[in-house]
Amino acid sequence: MKIKSALTTFITVLSFSAITSVSAAIINLNTTIRDMSDDHPDFQSYCCGSVKGMVGLTLGNDGTPTFIGGRMNTTPDNFSDWYSIGTDHVLGEMNYSLAFDNTITTDPNIYTFTDSTFFPIDGLLGGNDGRSHNYHFTLRLNTDFTFNGGETFTFTGDDDVWVFIDDQRVIDLGGIHRAESASVDLDSLGLKRGNDYSLDLFFAERHTSQSNFRIDTTIQLKPVPEPSGIILMSASLFGLSLLRRRIK
């Protein structure tokens, strides 16, 4: 009887653990951050307001936004420093991982990265320019996903952010501004279910003194995490077989 009781407790604990592990998942996505000098013509000297249409509707041949112009930026050559081949006033570049967690909200289908003090390169690369944070940098995220239907993508933050899906601009939050939000319903983009598509996000922090960065999405951005529950369930079955042998 004691063995049977232990078996029942074991199954209950393992079942709860498996459910918990399946519901909690992390997607780690690699990004590229460029540290920009505060004397770059497009950084720190401009303020403030939202600007639409600073970049084109489609990505350029090099996979980065195309310069259109307008308020709060200068020339195509200066803009190429942000994400492309330009090197003027670029103090360094590094990889940085964003961890998307599906336990931030009450909906396990929503993966979130959020940081209301987003200063990922404090004290790194070119340093903080004598300030409390390194306020001048750009971030580039390139990934892909399989479209299943019904997905959404929301960004909230400052300063500039542009999101492209299948090389088409779907979020346009240019300018130096306080945290702003924009969303896209992927069903509205004419995508085909089961097909793979690219997602590219371009972010810039250009001015003191805030940096907010939040993404909420139901897109299964790649790399998709391995379902740890399957590994745990395998261990559960192995432990269960041992207990059954003892009962026999």
Side-chain angles (χ1 to χ4, degrees):
M1 294 298 293
K2 289 184 178 180
I3 295 178
K4 289 185 178 180
S5 177
L7 176 59
T8 301
T9 302
F10 178 80
I11 293 173
T12 301
V13 171
L14 256 323
S15 298
F16 176 79
S17 300
I19 292 170
T20 302
S21 65
V22 170
S23 63
I26 301 292
I27 298 177
N28 291 298
L29 294 181
N30 189 51
T31 70
T32 301
I33 292 180
R34 280 191 176 186
D35 188 4
M36 310 297 293
S37 172
D38 63 358
D39 63 3
H40 188 287
D42 294 336
F43 287 72
Q44 192 59 29
S45 58
Y46 285 114
C47 192
C48 294
S50 301
V51 182
K52 304 295 184 185
M54 285 175 54
V55 302
L57 295 174
T58 60
L59 289 176
N61 293 332
D62 64 350
T64 67
T66 56
F67 177 85
I68 299 298
R71 296 186 302 119
M72 299 189 194
N73 58 6
T74 51
T75 67
D77 184 57
N78 287 331
F79 186 69
S80 73
D81 298 334
W82 293 31
Y83 312 105
S84 187
I85 59 174
T87 57
D88 292 341
H89 309 284
V90 177
L91 303 179
E93 186 175 285
M94 63 178 280
N95 293 332
Y96 185 79
S97 180
L98 299 180
F100 290 78
D101 188 338
N102 75 333
T103 64
I104 302 296
T105 72
T106 57
D107 186 346
N109 295 310
I110 297 176
Y111 285 80
T112 300
F113 175 87
T114 181
D115 190 342
S116 59
T117 54
F118 186 60
F119 299 106
I121 55 171
D122 276 359
L124 301 175
L125 301 176
N128 295 3
D129 295 317
R131 300 183 175 91
S132 58
H133 296 292
N134 190 333
Y135 286 100
H136 308 95
F137 61 91
T138 66
L139 178 148
R140 175 178 177 177
L141 184 157
N142 309 106
T143 186
D144 54 48
F145 64 96
T146 301
F147 177 62
N148 297 309
E151 291 96 325
T152 60
F153 185 98
T154 299
F155 180 87
T156 300
D158 62 285
D159 293 312
D160 315 80
V161 70
W162 300 285
V163 178
F164 293 78
I165 292 178
D166 195 28
D167 292 348
Q168 308 298 307
R169 194 187 72 200
V170 296
I171 287 180
D172 181 9
L173 290 175
I176 298 172
H177 49 75
R178 294 188 177 186
E180 296 182 358
S181 298
S183 299
V184 57
D185 179 352
L186 272 64
D187 284 348
S188 68
L189 303 180
L191 307 180
K192 294 184 178 180
R193 295 191 181 196
N195 284 7
D196 290 341
Y197 294 95
S198 60
L199 185 146
D200 301 275
L201 180 146
F202 301 88
F203 171 83
E205 175 56 38
R206 290 201 278 158
H207 198 281
T208 56
S209 57
Q210 297 181 4
S211 182
N212 296 274
F213 191 105
R214 176 166 181 150
I215 294 172
D216 295 277
T217 184
T218 58
I219 302 172
Q220 284 285 317
L221 298 171
K222 297 178 181 178
V224 176
E226 291 294 328
S228 56
I230 291 177
I231 299 172
L232 182 56
M233 188 60 71
S234 298
S236 304
L237 294 175
F238 177 72
L240 182 59
S241 67
L242 292 179
L243 283 177
R244 281 178 174 167
R245 288 179 186 176
R246 286 179 129 189
I247 293 173
K248 291 179 180 179

